[in-house]
Every structure is written in C-alpha cells, then in structure tokens.
Amino acid sequence: MATHLGLYSSPSGTITLTPSTAFHGTTPCTRSSVLPSTVNSCRWVSQVPSRFRIKKQIHLKSSNGHPLNAVSLQDDIPGTPPSRKHVEPQVVQMSLPIVEPVSGKSTLSITVVGASGDLAKKKIFPALFALYYEDCLPENFTVFGYARTKMTDEELRIMISETLTCRIDRRENCGDKIKQFLERCFYHFGQYNSEADFVELDRKLKDKEAGRVSNRLFYLSIPPNIFVDVVRCASLQSSSKNGWTRVIVEKPFGRDSDSSRELTSSLKQYLQEDQIFRIDHYLGKELVENLSVLRFSNLVFEPLWSRNFIRNVQFIFSEDFGTEGRGGYFDNYGIIRDIMQNHLIQILALFAMETPVSLDAEDIRNEKVKVLRSMRPLQLEDVNVGQYKGHSKGSKSYPGYVDDPTVPNDSITPTFAAAALFIDNARWDGVPFLMKAGKALHTKRAEIRVQFRHVPGNLYKRNFGTDLDKATNELVIRVQPDEAIYLKINNKVPGLGMRLDRSDLNLLYKARYPKEIPDAYERLLLDAIEGERRLFIRSDELDAAWALFTPLLKELEEKKIAPELYPYGSRGPVGAHYLAAKYNVRWGDLTGEDS
C-alpha cells in the first residue's frame, strides 16, 4: 500500500496537502513497525504522479518524528494510478507560496567509487539491492561503479551478483529482482584524479537520467588519501546541475586532530557540510539505533540513567580473528583509531547524551557534541594496550600479529586496547566508562553493559555472601551477534528455602522479531538518499572525538610503548583486568554467565 499526497483548496483559500492511499500489489518498504498516517516513510513519494513542483521546502514529519526530505516532494515519476476508493484524508495545513507546473521528472544516480574493492562487493552493492528489493528506491535510479580496474558492464554485474541475497520472507521473486537490479548497474573505468574521466562519467549519467531532475549520490569506498582528488573531480565535473549532490565518506577520517581538520578543510573547498555524509556503520546497527528508544520512551530506564544509580558502563568490542591479510592497512592505524575513536566513542555519546529538543538530526548531534566536549582527554595511566601473539590449540596453530607478511616484524601497533573514560558533567560525574576492543580474542561480540549500584541496606545481602556484584542489576544491550536486550535481576529459586539466583529478563530479537534485521549499510544508504543526517558524523563531532584520543596516540607513539602480548584466542592481556580493578569494576563479559 502506498501513500499519495494531494493538493486541496480550503474555503479560506489556503492550499492544504492531504494524503490519500492506493494499493500497488506489493508491500512497500517500511522503516518502523507503526506506519505513519500521513506518508509512507520508505516508499518514495516520487512514485506518485504529480504535475507540480513545490519551489519552497515543505517540512512534514513521519510517525517517528523525523522530518521527511522535501526533495522527494519534487519528484515526478509515473506510478500505478491511485485507487478511487475513498479514504478519509488527514489534513496537514501548510501554505504553499509558489506552485508551478513542471515537465521534468527526477532520477537518482548512485556512483560507487572504488567499485572493485571488497567493501563495495560485500556491503554496498548488496545493501543497494536490498533497498531495491524492499521497494525503498525510486522508480528511476541507476547505479554506476567507478574504479581503476578495467571492466565491462557485464563483468561488473557478474561480480556483484555473487554477493546479492534476498530477504528470507520474500524469496520467491528473488531471481527476477536480481535481474532487474543488475540491468540498472553500469561501470565506468577511470582514474581517481582525472577530471576528464569524471567528465565522461557525467556524460554517461546524463544519458541514463534522460533529461530528468538529477539527484546524485557518490559513495567513496576508497583509501582516505584519495578522498580529496575524487571529491574535487566529482564536484567540478560530475555534480548535479538541477538536483542535489551528496558524498558518503568512509572512515578513517584522518589519523589525529590535525590530519582530520586538514581533510575536512580540503573537502569543504568543494562541498558544503550538509553534502558530506561521514559514515560510521555501527551507528546503523539495529540495537544502536534502538538505544535512544529504549532510554527515552521507557519510564523505567530514564530516571535511572545517571550517576545516582549507575556504577559503571562498559562498551565491549571483540573479534575472534586477526588481521589476516589486512595487516598493512591496520598497522597504519591500530585498534584505537580503527574502533575506539569512531565506533565506540559514537555509541558512548548516544548513550550518555541529554534528552535532545527533538528527533531532528541537528538536535541529536548537538547533544552528542556536548557529551564529547565534557569528557577528559585520555591519560596513559587509564589505558592498557596489547598485541596478539601466535598460539597453538590442539593440532591447530594460530599466527601472531607480526607473523602476518604485510606487518613489519618489529611492529608495536596495538591490536587490543582497554580504556577508562570520564564525563565531567552533572549527570555522569565520577562514573567510569570503560571501553575494550580487540582482535583475535576468544569470542566475537559487541555490547553495552550497564552495571547498577548496590541496593542500599539490602535485606538479602547474607544470601549473596561476600560477592556483592552478584547482588547488583546489569542491563546488557548486545549489538551483535544474536541481537538482544536483557536485564539481570535477583530472583528467589522456587522451593522451601530462601535461595537467591541471578536471572535474565531477556528480549532476544530473533525470537521476538523473526524477520531478518536489515544490514546497517542499508539503513545508512537510505538515510543519505533521503537527506537524513541523524546517524552521520558532523565535523565538530569529529573534532571533539579526536581531541580525546590525539594526545594519547602521540604519547604512545613518541614513547614507543610496547603492547602487552596475549595469546590468539584468549580473553586479552592481564593488564585490562588491573585497569578495571583500579576503578572497582569487573568486566561483565568475563564472568562466565553469558560468554
């Protein structure tokens, strides 16, 4: 079922915009479990026949409170004629100062720069296909791959077809959908610093756009040292002349504060800030996006979200594999730059921020920046770094980090880091925020663990013995794998005696929501297309995040701090346990209860 917007004239002469509904035979893409009453937030309004372009932006809000992108109201793409069955419209009053007919139609052109790379093959093209499969892309769209590898259109289609999959619940038309999607995929060979090659790309894009209003999205799936060359060429030679142009930039965003500011300054020579979408795919994870919903829409949690009730918060990221071929790239950055400075610090900012004025992107990002600016820069004594070494388990041997042929033999780049951070504001004063990230550990997981304070004057403390940690509640938000939210509580074991047990109130997503959870890249690509910036990183956020880590990184490198070695497949270096104990904290993932 799709929603159409109609123009009506009220008795007062004011033009009003009202929704009407028509059935199209396929279930439209939906972005929430509650469908909005005024507009479907995922099926494009551009699929609705329209003879008008609204010259001034109209700000509508969907049921989740986010403003809809006004650009989509300019689209004019034929769709199935609307049903004549009357549906009582819900009128949204607004003035339309200037309305004029337009003959053009709009189209979306997505160019994946670095199309031959692993990220494009494994994540970006499959995410674009998933959006197409769920009817989340406009009727008129094309996808171009751009890279230095010589390839034909057909070779590109063969390459990306190997990674395309369909949603489990609608697999019956998978083959047809893949074929239709691949027919919209094309390839352009060119150099990343050649304006002439981007002129030729522009010509091909115009051929496919066929005179329509062109909206263009460039995804830079390339190393950061060539970001600026591509942005310069694309901005000068391949940007849209009558629609919007947006650029998605992948991390890393520099190596420290200076290089990050230099990159931002260079990009802004050719783009406005609102054209730059700095992507951190962890912000598109389902459980991360649910974080603010859990806190702000449940009365049971928000009053507890402060130093008065929370003893510590832990952000844990672990992988059960090493660099394995990516050592050359990783050795340039290390685990702190690769994981902590972006993924984990962004999640921490979302977790700790004050209630934003609204769900508008700028209001949310303003609150995140306040958190980051309230944090103390990291000190060396509050950090433990490690590096995995070779280890044999049974008949199988696991290589150490420096055994990777792409890594220097004398490398001291950390593959593990644990840190204690503090937020100096009224809500969080004195609460340790512990981070831990590492490769080649005993398990793969990403989670947030909130450990609450002890119950004062607990009547049942004798039943817990000397281990008071067993008497405290813990909220666990497991981001991956097996997404879940569970709360550890104390409970009486059934029977005649008074024996207490620690039990879980468990929301396991795959049990409660059997439908496949969309990949983070799907959500973020769709947001970029719709102009929604809530989950993307603003330049001042980036500056504040780097300000926390840059002094530490410089000290580690200048003093050549040797990382503590830990065996491949272990729980990490012993120093991480001492760091936690310094603040009277026990890592929640090492208790054995849910490892």
Side-chain angles (χ1 to χ4, degrees):
M1 186 169 70
T3 303
H4 304 280
L5 299 177
L7 291 168
Y8 292 84
S9 178
S10 68
S12 64
T14 301
I15 295 176
T16 60
L17 193 65
T18 66
S20 58
T21 306
F23 292 88
H24 284 272
T26 59
T27 305
C29 169
T30 56
R31 305 195 69 187
S32 65
S33 58
V34 180
L35 292 176
S37 59
T38 55
V39 69
N40 185 309
S41 62
C42 195
R43 180 180 284 278
W44 276 50
V45 180
S46 61
Q47 297 185 10
V48 180
S50 173
R51 294 167 295 161
F52 300 93
R53 176 185 297 163
I54 300 167
K55 295 186 73 176
K56 292 193 175 183
Q57 285 196 351
I58 300 170
H59 298 288
L60 294 178
K61 287 191 176 182
S62 64
S63 63
N64 62 5
H66 300 308
L68 297 175
N69 185 3
V71 174
S72 62
L73 294 175
Q74 297 180 2
D75 297 341
D76 182 10
I77 299 173
T80 307
S83 167
R84 296 297 178 188
K85 181 178 177 181
H86 179 70
V87 177
E88 192 65 27
Q90 181 177 344
V91 178
V92 180
Q93 292 281 350
M94 59 187 69
S95 296
L96 304 179
I98 302 174
V99 180
E100 65 177 21
V102 293
S103 55
K105 302 174 181 179
S106 71
T107 186
L108 173 65
S109 300
I110 302 168
T111 302
V112 180
V113 182
S116 58
D118 277 353
L119 178 64
K121 288 186 284 189
K122 294 177 180 177
K123 290 292 184 182
I124 303 170
F125 287 118
L128 288 171
F129 171 68
L131 292 177
Y132 173 70
Y133 189 79
E134 297 288 343
D135 297 322
C136 289
L137 295 180
E139 183 175 316
N140 289 309
F141 80 91
T142 53
V143 177
F144 265 85
Y146 185 105
R148 293 177 294 197
T149 304
K150 289 190 176 181
M151 198 184 308
T152 64
D153 292 346
E154 192 56 37
E155 287 171 335
L156 173 76
R157 291 165 183 165
I158 292 171
M159 179 190 78
I160 65 179
S161 66
E162 296 170 355
T163 60
L164 301 187
T165 58
C166 296
R167 291 281 185 259
I168 293 170
D169 59 336
R170 295 171 62 191
R171 187 175 288 171
E172 64 277 0
N173 62 347
C174 185
D176 292 340
K177 283 283 191 177
I178 289 178
K179 182 180 178 182
Q180 293 162 15
F181 176 77
L182 292 176
E183 288 172 352
R184 295 169 181 254
C185 295
F186 305 92
Y187 186 76
H188 181 66
F189 159 74
Q191 299 300 314
Y192 294 134
N193 60 353
S194 169
E195 289 191 32
D197 289 338
F198 277 85
V199 168
E200 181 62 19
L201 172 66
D202 182 62
R203 185 191 66 77
K204 290 184 177 181
L205 291 174
K206 285 177 178 175
D207 286 347
K208 302 301 178 186
E209 291 161 352
R212 303 181 183 94
V213 174
S214 63
N215 296 320
R216 295 183 178 178
L217 177 67
F218 291 85
Y219 195 118
L220 306 193
S221 176
I222 51 178
N225 61 311
I226 49 179
F227 282 170
V228 178
D229 284 338
V230 171
V231 166
R232 172 179 55 81
C233 295
S235 175
L236 296 177
Q237 305 299 342
S238 302
S239 60
S240 172
K241 303 301 186 291
N242 54 9
W244 51 255
T245 300
R246 296 173 186 149
V247 177
I248 297 178
V249 183
E250 271 279 353
K251 74 172 183 72
F253 313 115
R255 298 188 77 255
D256 52 26
S257 292
D258 291 341
S259 59
S260 175
R261 278 194 291 267
E262 183 181 348
L263 175 60
T264 296
S265 175
S266 298
L267 292 177
K268 286 186 177 180
Q269 291 180 34
Y270 307 102
L271 299 170
Q272 299 296 319
E273 173 67 26
D274 63 3
Q275 291 179 281
I276 305 170
F277 287 71
R278 299 174 188 85
I279 191 171
D280 182 338
H281 72 274
Y282 255 74
L283 295 182
K285 298 281 188 182
E286 187 67 39
L287 269 291
V288 175
E289 190 166 17
N290 190 50
L291 190 56
S292 58
V293 178
L294 181 73
R295 175 181 169 188
F296 296 124
S297 69
N298 293 287
L299 184 61
V300 69
F301 290 121
E302 174 56 19
L304 307 179
W305 223 258
S306 74
R307 64 187 298 273
N308 297 325
F309 298 98
I310 292 177
R311 189 160 52 103
N312 68 82
V313 185
Q314 302 173 21
F315 301 88
I316 298 169
F317 176 96
S318 65
E319 292 178 334
D320 56 0
F321 53 88
T323 53
E324 294 165 9
R326 288 182 65 244
Y329 161 82
F330 185 86
D331 202 64
N332 256 344
Y333 293 94
I335 198 73
I336 296 175
R337 291 184 177 94
D338 196 40
I339 303 297
M340 281 188 166
Q341 186 275 334
N342 39 73
H343 298 336
L344 297 188
I345 202 68
Q346 285 292 320
I347 296 173
L348 185 154
L350 275 174
F351 177 94
M353 71 180 182
E354 296 296 320
T355 307
V357 173
S358 73
L359 289 175
D360 182 75
E362 294 311 304
D363 289 334
I364 291 174
R365 297 198 290 187
N366 287 342
E367 295 303 328
K368 287 169 63 185
V369 170
K370 288 179 187 177
V371 171
L372 295 173
R373 288 178 175 169
S374 299
M375 297 180 71
R376 303 176 202 167
L378 271 167
Q379 303 297 316
L380 190 60
E381 59 265 25
D382 287 330
V383 176
N384 169 254
V385 292
Q387 186 186 95
Y388 68 89
K389 63 181 180 179
H391 177 62
S392 296
K393 190 174 182 180
S395 59
K396 190 166 184 180
S397 294
Y398 298 91
Y401 175 68
V402 294
D403 296 329
D404 187 323
T406 61
V407 173
N409 291 332
D410 58 350
S411 173
I412 56 172
T413 300
T415 61
F416 174 97
L421 300 97
F422 294 88
I423 303 172
D424 291 330
N425 64 17
R427 182 182 290 270
W428 298 112
D429 186 33
V431 176
F433 286 78
L434 270 67
M435 282 185 186
K436 183 169 66 171
K439 291 183 173 293
L441 296 172
H442 70 295
T443 186
K444 178 181 178 180
R445 73 169 73 198
E447 61 187 18
I448 306 164
R449 305 184 80 101
V450 185
Q451 295 184 349
F452 292 93
R453 295 193 180 279
H454 302 130
V455 177
N458 193 332
L459 293 173
Y460 296 97
K461 61 184 178 182
R462 287 191 301 175
N463 298 77
F464 291 103
T466 57
D467 191 355
L468 289 179
D469 284 342
K470 287 188 176 177
T472 60
N473 304 122
E474 185 178 26
L475 175 67
V476 181
I477 302 167
R478 190 191 300 142
V479 178
Q480 69 174 29
D482 298 328
E483 295 86 349
I485 301 170
Y486 55 97
L487 178 64
K488 295 180 179 293
I489 64 166
N490 299 316
N491 194 53
K492 178 183 177 296
V493 176
L496 298 177
M498 180 54 68
R499 190 161 60 91
L500 301 189
D501 183 35
R502 204 178 189 201
S503 306
D504 294 347
L505 299 178
N506 194 350
L507 169 59
L508 185 62
Y509 267 55
K510 66 183 178 183
R512 178 66 179 85
Y513 307 108
K515 186 175 181 180
E516 183 182 354
I517 295 175
D519 184 76
Y521 280 92
E522 297 172 35
R523 176 175 288 107
L524 294 168
L525 277 165
L526 184 58
D527 279 353
I529 291 167
E530 293 181 343
E532 171 58 67
R533 295 170 177 82
R534 183 171 46 96
L535 298 177
F536 294 88
I537 302 169
R538 205 167 61 188
S539 59
D540 55 344
E541 283 184 76
L542 196 57
D543 288 343
W546 274 120
L548 296 173
F549 288 92
T550 296
L552 168 73
L553 290 166
K554 285 187 175 178
E555 190 172 2
L556 284 171
E557 289 164 1
E558 287 172 0
K559 293 183 176 179
K560 298 187 182 301
I561 303 295
E564 181 183 346
L565 298 180
Y566 62 95
Y568 192 118
S570 68
R571 294 175 180 266
V574 175
H577 302 275
Y578 288 114
L579 175 65
K582 178 180 175 182
Y583 296 103
N584 198 27
V585 174
R586 180 184 299 177
W587 290 107
D589 63 324
L590 302 181
T591 61
E593 295 180 16
D594 46 20
S595 59

